[in-house]
Amino acid sequence: MDETPGKVENEIKLSPDSELRFEVESNDETVYLELKSGIAEIFGTELVKGKTYSFTTGAKIAVFSWQGCELIIRTKKDTSYISKETPMMFYLNCHCCLEQLREHAEQNDTNGPITLIVGPTDVGKSTLCKILLNYAVRMGGLSRRPIFVDLDIGQGHVSIPGTIGAMIVERPASVYDGFPQVAPLVYHYGHVGVQQNPKLYDTIISQMADLVHQRMESNKKVKSSGVIINTIGWVKGRGYQHLTHIVQAFKVDIILVLDQERLYNELVRDMPTFVKVALLPKSGGVVERSTATRIEARANRVREYFYGTISYQLHPHSFDVKFSDVRIFRIGAPAVPDSCIPLGLKTDNYLIKLVSIQPSPNILHHVLSVSHATTADEKVIETNVAGFVCVTNVDTERQILTILSPQPKPLPDACLILSDVQFVDR
């Protein structure tokens, strides 16, 4: 354990079906945690006995134990508490039901459960996704390969904010770094709110759904394991329409509603009878995040893309490129009055129009998606992205951009798509 002066060590005994909760708020604070005896987990990831885990600013942790355990926690200011009121039994029951459906799918060569997690903001949707995915690969052994689809463009759990992503989960998540990512499927959206371009959001969701179903058909383990989908917290009005579009596009057959009875009743009313809808409670440890906290979390996600995490550090590269050597686009043209639109065209087509832009100081600190499309004539919007770069300097006199990139060589011959997401490299 850390021997930093001023830290207080507490030995905590967790009784069965209870959890230890704590949050790290101070910038100079680090909380150290060790499992002394018994079995415990953090959001479905089992802790290693005798290993010291460290948590820094922004961490919100719940250590749960089914059989009981002994923990050692070391911190300057102890704000931890134990709760016996947890929804983990509900979540475990959900996992057991999903596992039965996976076994049936495996025996009959049919699709496994396609599960949608919905609810307003800050009710624990991402956490429930992580728990269900962890349980699937922990308890299902080598036969389980569920697909995790993240449609929450505000946070970005598969990639960075401003994107939607999907990946096959083969191993439990790391306590620090989440699920191991091998070639995730990522689509550019470019904003952190759905209301900025609802047409584009629905378009890339449809494209994502088609490819997810293709992947299920090509791999029996993936097919029987099914899909778990994380969604945005906008559940009223147009947000509800997006949810129904997701259900149709992905052919969802199970919807888990967190902590909102109104949404649950609307879905029961509107969904086909073969779609099963269940209402689940949220955890008492869920914390409502402020706007500043959300902005900081987004910046941290982009920073992790370029620089990695504490346990897995990366070293990005910076290089100059000429204005003439890059092709930058944005998705969405200015709105056109209805009277100016040719007969037969939809009024919202401008939202998914590809527009060429010239490099200028306006794109400083903006993140650019590197598309797999090599020409603007290709379907850039419906093409997934290879990665991201950030503009760290714009020299208009020399006509040169300075780019922060994960790879050392200059940009490939690809289309770059401008995002509203910004990152200041310090």
Side-chain angles (χ1 to χ4, degrees):
M1 296 292 288
D2 179 68
E3 298 298 335
T4 306
K7 287 197 177 292
V8 178
E9 180 176 301
N10 290 326
E11 190 169 311
I12 298 172
K13 290 187 178 181
L14 275 185
S15 58
D17 299 336
S18 61
E19 66 184 19
L20 172 72
R21 298 171 183 166
F22 63 88
E23 182 177 355
V24 186
E25 297 179 344
S26 176
N27 290 330
D28 60 348
E29 173 72 342
T30 301
V31 176
Y32 298 92
L33 179 74
E34 178 187 336
L35 175 64
K36 184 178 179 182
S37 64
I39 300 175
E41 60 186 48
I42 295 179
F43 308 136
T45 299
E46 194 170 348
L47 298 182
V48 178
K49 192 179 301 182
K51 178 179 178 179
T52 300
Y53 297 87
S54 59
F55 302 96
T56 54
T57 310
K60 298 175 179 63
I61 303 299
V63 186
F64 181 83
S65 179
W66 291 104
Q67 296 91 8
C69 67
E70 291 186 17
L71 300 165
I72 298 175
I73 186 170
R74 185 185 291 265
T75 179
K76 288 182 180 178
K77 182 181 179 182
D78 188 11
T79 58
S80 64
Y81 67 97
I82 296 175
S83 175
K84 294 185 178 181
E85 300 296 326
T86 80
M88 288 299 293
M89 186 57 71
F90 292 99
Y91 299 166
L92 178 63
N93 288 337
C94 285
H95 161 72
C96 293
C97 293
L98 294 177
E99 191 59 27
Q100 288 180 358
L101 293 172
R102 294 183 185 115
E103 291 174 358
H104 182 270
E106 197 171 26
Q107 294 168 3
N108 296 275
D109 193 26
T110 56
N111 285 345
I114 300 178
T115 307
L116 187 71
I117 314 293
V118 301
T121 56
D122 297 331
V123 293
K125 296 187 295 295
S126 302
T127 299
L128 177 56
C129 287
K130 184 182 293 186
I131 291 171
L132 293 178
L133 289 164
N134 273 327
Y135 282 179
V137 293
R138 277 177 57 190
M139 301 179 184
L142 298 176
S143 63
R144 294 292 171 255
R145 297 289 185 273
I147 295 178
F148 174 42
V149 176
D150 182 32
L151 304 180
D152 184 3
I153 40 87
Q155 296 300 316
H157 298 283
V158 170
S159 186
I160 67 171
T163 65
I164 65 172
M167 65 180 183
I168 295 175
V169 177
E170 299 181 351
R171 298 189 302 276
S174 160
V175 171
Y176 301 119
D177 305 328
F179 294 103
Q181 296 188 15
V182 179
L185 177 67
V186 179
Y187 280 92
H188 172 96
Y189 174 68
H191 313 280
V192 295
V194 179
Q195 60 273 21
Q196 276 96 330
N197 199 331
K199 175 74 172 181
L200 175 60
Y201 187 67
D202 283 344
T203 299
I204 59 177
I205 281 175
S206 296
Q207 184 67 17
M208 171 77 78
D210 289 342
L211 291 180
V212 165
H213 283 288
Q214 289 178 27
R215 188 58 184 268
M216 292 177 71
E217 289 301 321
S218 65
N219 187 310
K220 287 189 176 181
K221 290 183 179 179
V222 173
K223 183 178 182 179
S224 62
S225 298
V227 184
I228 291 180
I229 307 169
N230 186 35
T231 59
I232 56 175
W234 187 19
V235 296
K236 296 181 180 179
R238 187 61 186 265
Y240 183 78
Q241 295 175 23
H242 288 302
L243 293 181
T244 57
H245 174 71
I246 293 168
V247 172
Q248 295 172 353
F250 282 93
K251 302 176 183 177
V252 170
D253 46 28
I254 295 176
I255 303 177
L256 302 179
V257 184
L258 275 175
D259 194 48
Q260 191 168 96
E261 193 171 353
R262 178 192 61 79
L263 178 60
Y264 165 75
N265 286 311
E266 288 180 349
L267 290 168
V268 169
R269 178 194 66 201
D270 296 337
M271 291 298 104
T273 54
F274 68 85
V275 178
K276 306 304 179 185
V277 186
L279 179 64
L280 297 176
K282 70 175 181 179
S283 170
V286 171
V287 179
E288 186 173 346
R289 294 169 294 178
S290 64
T291 301
T293 302
R294 291 178 181 274
I295 293 173
E296 185 178 358
R298 290 177 192 136
N300 286 336
R301 286 294 296 163
V302 180
R303 186 177 296 109
E304 287 176 2
Y305 174 80
F306 289 107
Y307 288 98
T309 61
I310 295 176
S311 59
Y312 186 73
Q313 296 187 14
L314 301 174
H315 303 280
H317 304 269
S318 182
F319 51 81
D320 295 337
V321 293
K322 297 179 181 178
F323 283 7
S324 57
D325 290 340
V326 295
R327 294 169 300 152
I328 304 176
F329 301 88
R330 64 181 169 129
I331 300 174
V336 179
D338 292 349
S339 58
C340 299
I341 296 176
L343 187 64
L345 290 182
K346 295 182 178 180
T347 57
D348 59 353
N349 278 354
Y350 69 90
L351 291 171
I352 54 174
K353 181 178 176 58
L354 197 66
V355 181
S356 177
I357 64 173
Q358 295 300 315
S360 71
N362 292 333
I363 67 173
L364 181 63
H365 303 310
H366 280 259
V367 174
L368 306 175
S369 297
V370 182
S371 175
H372 275 297
T374 56
T375 68
D377 294 334
E378 295 184 43
K379 295 183 178 180
V380 174
I381 294 172
E382 298 176 3
T383 302
N384 59 308
V385 300
F388 307 93
V389 297
C390 183
V391 180
T392 57
N393 189 48
V394 180
D395 190 333
T396 54
E397 292 185 4
R398 297 170 58 208
Q399 298 281 290
I400 285 178
L401 293 176
T402 304
I403 299 291
L404 182 70
S405 171
Q407 62 180 20
K409 57 185 178 181
L411 295 172
D413 184 22
C415 299
L416 303 178
I417 314 175
L418 181 66
S419 171
D420 284 347
V421 176
Q422 298 185 44
F423 172 61
V424 180
D425 184 19
R426 301 187 187 279

